[in-house]
Amino acid sequence: MKLKTTLLFTLLSLGVFAQQKSTGTLTFVSGLQASITLNSATSTATIVLSGPSNRWFACKFGSFTTGMQVTNDVVYYNGTTLVDATQTGGGPTNDATQNWTVTGNTVSGSTRTITATRAFSTGDSNDFTFVFANTTIDMAAAYGPTAGSFALEYHGGNRNKFIDTPINATLGLEKYSLDNAQVYPNPSKGDFTVKSEIYFSKVNVYTQTGAFVKTVEVENNDDNVEINISGLSTGVYLLEIVNDTQKSWKKVVVN
């Protein structure tokens, strides 16, 4: 019995959960917003940048003490897509390798919102390296003064900066983790539903002492699945909810 209990504790300890940290949405000046989110499970950063749809806009991030300081990492919208660049004395210079992957580019009213992702570390000396353990990041942003112009130019008062912008270090396990999956009704006769904000591929059922009972495969990697373990003896069972990168344990009672 002690061995089984120890084994089960080990299984519980091996659960892998995605952790995310974010600056939250920052408003630099009217009509210009940005956020950066870090995901430790995939070692990727996501930037969401919103600005006027009829001109260029840009965001700089990294570690700096003034505005558009040279040798800092910059992204900007050029009228077509988001460009990976480096701030130089004469303005941004496009990087030879474009490491940001645009996953969203939409317009609502007069505001364009672009979403893009890249690896924490790209191996490119021009790119800032995101470190998940960091609690702050310096950011600045600007947009062009002239409607209809996507040629980078002096931006006048259409700029602002946030030095030492906090990256929330206490987000921990977010709703987009299997750890927040819900099981209901509980207790039940053995028929219950598992609901999650993200997909899962299977549910492994164990007794309270760690003995394997059965696996329930989930069709089409669903996020809302009815599970039937009726016919089992009454008592407490443990569910291991699994997808490609995460797992979570839930306790259910069969009565």
Side-chain angles (χ1 to χ4, degrees):
M1 181 69 73
K2 183 176 181 180
L3 175 60
K4 289 182 178 179
T5 302
T6 303
L7 174 60
L8 183 58
F9 177 78
T10 302
L11 288 170
L12 290 168
S13 299
L14 291 176
V16 178
F17 305 105
Q19 288 186 308
Q20 297 189 64
K21 297 167 65 172
S22 177
T23 61
T25 300
L26 306 170
T27 299
F28 291 87
V29 289
S30 178
L32 184 60
Q33 294 182 320
S35 69
I36 291 178
T37 301
L38 307 181
N39 187 314
S40 67
T42 58
S43 295
T44 55
T46 298
I47 188 168
V48 179
L49 182 60
S50 297
S53 61
N54 61 356
R55 65 195 73 186
W56 66 265
F57 51 88
C59 181
K60 183 184 79 166
F61 45 87
S63 179
F64 52 89
T65 55
T66 62
M68 289 301 186
Q69 197 171 17
V70 299
T71 69
N72 282 126
D73 209 350
V74 177
V75 291
Y76 70 91
Y77 175 67
N78 67 351
T80 302
T81 190
L82 196 70
V83 180
D84 190 1
T86 303
Q87 181 70 13
T88 60
T93 298
N94 295 357
D95 291 352
T97 302
Q98 295 293 300
N99 288 305
W100 286 96
T101 299
V102 175
T103 59
N105 186 344
T106 60
V107 175
S108 177
S110 60
T111 300
R112 181 178 298 277
T113 299
I114 298 179
T115 304
T117 64
R118 78 158 170 83
F120 284 173
S121 177
T122 66
D124 186 336
S125 60
N126 291 320
D127 288 339
F128 174 74
T129 297
F130 294 98
V131 178
F132 189 78
N134 287 354
T135 57
T136 63
I137 185 171
D138 298 334
M139 296 179 67
Y143 64 82
T146 307
S149 174
F150 294 96
L152 298 176
E153 57 186 324
Y154 179 67
H155 33 68
N158 301 327
R159 67 190 188 280
N160 209 332
K161 61 192 178 191
F162 291 88
I163 307 299
D164 289 338
T165 299
I167 306 177
N168 296 329
T170 57
L171 287 180
L173 303 178
E174 292 203 342
K175 72 174 184 177
Y176 297 110
S177 163
L178 288 179
D179 193 55
N180 282 327
Q182 301 175 10
V183 180
Y184 59 90
N186 188 17
S188 76
K189 297 295 184 182
D191 293 304
F192 52 87
T193 298
V194 178
K195 180 176 176 57
S196 172
E197 293 286 346
I198 59 174
Y199 79 93
F200 51 99
S201 56
K202 63 182 178 180
V203 177
N204 296 318
V205 183
Y206 295 85
T207 67
Q208 192 175 22
T209 57
F212 173 74
V213 176
K214 64 184 296 186
T215 294
V216 179
E217 299 289 345
V218 177
E219 295 183 1
N220 301 320
N221 285 340
D222 208 346
D223 58 4
N224 193 346
V225 178
E226 293 183 359
I227 303 293
N228 186 309
I229 56 172
S230 59
L232 295 178
S233 301
T234 59
V236 177
Y237 292 84
L238 296 168
L239 307 181
E240 182 191 29
I241 306 168
V242 179
N243 67 18
D244 293 337
T245 60
Q246 302 179 39
K247 64 175 65 174
S248 181
W249 293 85
K250 300 294 179 181
K251 182 185 295 184
V252 295
V253 178
V254 175
N255 57 17

